[in-house]
Amino acid sequence: MSSMANHDLILGQSHNLALGHDQQLMLSHNHSLGLGENHDLELGQTDDQHLGLGRTHDHELGLGIANDHELDLGLNHDDEGDGVHTYGHENELSMDQKPEHDDHVMPIPTQNHDLDLPENNDLAVSENQEFDENMALTVVHNPEMSIESAEEMGLHESHLMVSTTPVIQARTLAISPNYELAVGQEFPDVKSCRRALRDTAIALHFEMQTIKSDKTRFTAKCRSEGCPWRIHAAKLPGVPTFTIRTVHESHTCGGISHLGHQQASVQWVATSVEQRLKENPDCKPKEILEEIHRVHGITLSYKQAWRGKERIMAAMRGSFEEGYRLLPQYCEQVKRTNPGSIASVYANPTDNCFRRLFISFQASIYGFLNACRPLLELDRIYLKSKYLGTLLLATGFDGDGALFPLAFGVVDEENDDNWMWFLSELHNLLEINTENMPRLTILSDRQKGIVDGVEANFPTAFHGFCMRHLIDSFRKEFNNTMLVNLLWNAAQVLTILEFESKVLEIEEISQDAAYWIRRVPPHLWATAYFEGQSFFHLTANIVESLNTWILDASGLPIIQMMECIRRQLMIWFNERRETSMQWPSILVPSAERHVAEALDRARTHQVLRATDAEFEVISHEGTNTVDIRTRCCQCRGWQLYGLPCAHAVAALLSIRQNVHRFTESCFTVATYRKTYSQTIHPIPDKSLWKELSEAEGDVNASNANQLQLQIAINPPKSLRPPGRPRKKRVRAEDRGRVKRVVHCSRCNQTGHFRTTCAAPI
């Protein structure tokens, strides 16, 4: 057992430190403790760092060895069992047991256990580490030091003292072996070489400055002024492999002191968070920043994190440009996997820039025409993707009142022409799939483009206001909760007398508000005047109902967005179909509740029969006439909602009729199951589209469509503007709206209020 610089530390074989015959305890300038093959305890590189052994009387091995030099290696000696010895942070080397045989050897684990300690850090010793008279360490102050038995040295247990105060480590920098650079180290190519050097610079907290970088060589130095560190790598002849030729000196700069890092590029950020984004694509840039700071100890800008995420997401889901380019093939796959569906894309003939996309699945078409209420709401969602655009929606309602999306249109911008085109496509799909076009009730915000489109394509439809849009406009004009509630009540009452009573209440509070309401024709929004069947739907709240998933999808590339919509529809169809199989009733749950409430109220009504079909029903609210042949009641509830009102229920019970037979068919469970009887099928991955189209398609048809499928559609010319997007959209009815003229009560002039009046008194 020997040491460099003429300081030898000798362990006799009879002293069981479990090193074996051929294992030595080596102490050199790098202060490594040899515990057998590949078992080193490294303490740094300078002479003033020590392994409990220095050149003065204060030699330490994780403890201060004063004149009674002590040794503790933090090893755990266990004589029980098979005699295996382990070591760790809290383990001890117990030397109070004398081995029975001189050849007793402590087995050393075969793994390579390296303990890396930074500069000026000591190995602390726990309080219960001690020696006895049989095992002690004596340091002799001459060039050759030896360890002999306690008997020979004349030392006793009383002479040994153990330090109980550990040395606190101020900063820990654990250097992974993966970041070690050595001459002769090879990399598959120049990119791998650059990437390895970049990762090393980030891990070891220094910045590199590239001096030369080409296909055959790479040279870099430390960016810190005066630091001698330098590295040179070159390409091996005949192969793309790069090898490190020289690594000059070690760092003297102490590393970087600022928070960022020059080598932490966007690509490095993307590579660092790639796995996390694959597991959680909804991970926010702020979370990425926090993880990089926690793992790597560097602080980056929000923009770097955002761009890194965008780069990975583009690789995972495809770019926005690729989405538009593959639209013809996507439409072909929609029609191939879901026969009977409509999918068409239109581009500008001059530059092939995207203009319009229309998709409606066959399962939705069948369910709407055969089982849904004849009610549609039209709405739009402004897209948040790179090239903006607008998603147009036509949504129906199933028998239980849930949303039933029928058709989707994506346009480059919302305007009158695009609404006319969308409603024309909607009319064509309904006309093709049914012989008797239902008389629809359509709700929207009634902007000019929608009004013209409905009149041109659905001339017999009842087109009314969606109350959500009307209420929002009213609230902006009159920010008064009481007035808003009265407007809602006025819209919901069933008779004209009740409606006029509500409007008078509004007029008592604000004449301007009453005037604003009377300017909107009541037959377009008030239930008392409405001519169509609203089926309890004054408003559909499409965007609010779908915002849990469709608003997030609105920021995706166009094909990814449509796939998100298709998958949600596929899930809805399956879940609702399975749920309806558990319903034991005749009517859907919401209709059953309505009929049950009507039955309770009908028990107190008095019924007088006029003819086989006509009845007079008397209640505490008044008298109403009921005709069960035409399914009409004077209160208008039966004809508006499609379910018998309390007056109709009382009349039906008086002649012992089954109330369920007098409900609209869309409210029955059998019809509801028919709504979701069809299936929306998955669409294969885009890498298989070309192969599947050629394998399953007719040869002539493939040739005929080949030109159309090869057309590369370019993105629209509209780009998302810089800055944070608006959180609230501008309503269509507010565009171009003349602002309300305000009056000053002080000077009687217009254009300002009393509080801002500057006129002289």
Side-chain angles (χ1 to χ4, degrees), residues 49-109:
Q49 295 174 346
H50 37 269
L51 179 61
L53 290 176
R55 298 183 180 179
T56 67
H57 291 287
D58 294 329
H59 308 298
E60 298 175 357
L61 179 57
L63 58 110
I65 300 181
N67 294 326
D68 299 314
H69 312 285
E70 304 157 5
L71 173 64
D72 192 305
L73 299 179
L75 301 176
N76 184 22
H77 179 82
D78 188 3
D79 273 348
E80 297 179 3
D82 56 0
V84 176
H85 296 64
T86 60
Y87 52 94
H89 293 292
E90 298 179 359
N91 297 331
E92 309 170 2
L93 177 61
S94 178
M95 299 184 178
D96 57 352
Q97 298 182 13
K98 184 174 182 179
E100 297 179 0
H101 304 286
D102 289 344
D103 57 350
H104 181 75
V105 177
M106 178 180 70
I108 299 297

Side-chain angles (χ1 to χ4, degrees), residues 104-163:
H104 181 75
V105 177
M106 178 180 70
I108 299 297
T110 57
Q111 295 87 349
N112 184 9
H113 297 277
D114 293 339
L115 179 59
D116 297 337
L117 297 179
E119 298 181 359
N120 301 324
N121 289 282
D122 297 325
L123 186 62
V125 177
S126 59
E127 297 181 5
N128 58 354
Q129 295 172 334
E130 56 186 17
F131 302 129
D132 68 353
E133 67 274 10
N134 294 325
M135 293 298 293
L137 174 65
T138 301
V139 180
V140 184
H141 301 293
N142 56 34
E144 186 166 330
M145 295 182 296
S146 62
I147 298 180
E148 299 179 348
S149 67
E151 293 84 357
E152 296 176 2
M153 298 300 297
L155 295 179
H156 301 282
E157 184 177 358
S158 60
H159 295 139
L160 300 176
M161 296 184 65
V162 179
S163 171

Side-chain angles (χ1 to χ4, degrees), residues 522-541:
H523 70 275
L524 298 178
W525 60 277
T527 303
Y529 289 92
F530 196 65
E531 298 175 358
Q533 280 187 304
S534 64
F535 295 96
F536 304 100
H537 289 283
L538 292 173
T539 179
N541 294 327

Side-chain angles (χ1 to χ4, degrees), residues 1-12 17 19-35 40 51 53 142-147:
M1 190 161 311
S2 61
S3 137
M4 301 292 293
N6 297 324
H7 293 283
D8 297 336
L9 183 64
I10 302 174
L11 292 177
L17 190 56
L19 296 179
H21 294 286
D22 299 326
Q23 296 169 341
Q24 295 180 335
L25 182 64
M26 304 295 299
L27 290 179
S28 64
H29 288 293
N30 61 358
H31 308 287
S32 59
L33 176 62
L35 295 180
D40 298 331
L51 179 61
L53 290 176
N142 56 34
E144 186 166 330
M145 295 182 296
S146 62
I147 298 180

Side-chain angles (χ1 to χ4, degrees), residues 427-486:
H427 175 268
N428 291 339
L429 79 85
L430 295 176
E431 190 175 49
I432 292 173
N433 289 277
T434 184
E435 297 180 357
N436 299 318
M437 177 72 72
R439 190 176 186 184
L440 298 175
T441 297
I442 297 177
L443 302 177
S444 73
D445 62 358
R446 286 189 63 89
Q447 65 160 287
K448 185 178 183 302
I450 298 179
V451 172
D452 294 343
V454 170
E455 290 179 354
N457 294 283
F458 301 96
T460 61
F462 299 102
H463 187 193
F465 263 115
C466 171
M467 279 301 296
R468 176 173 59 87
H469 298 284
L470 192 65
I471 287 292
D472 287 346
S473 297
F474 183 79
R475 184 182 287 110
K476 289 180 181 179
E477 199 74 28
F478 308 97
N479 190 14
N480 187 311
T481 304
M482 183 180 295
L483 291 176
V484 171
N485 292 336
L486 287 173

Side-chain angles (χ1 to χ4, degrees), residues 366 388 423 670:
Y366 178 86
L388 300 178
L423 290 168

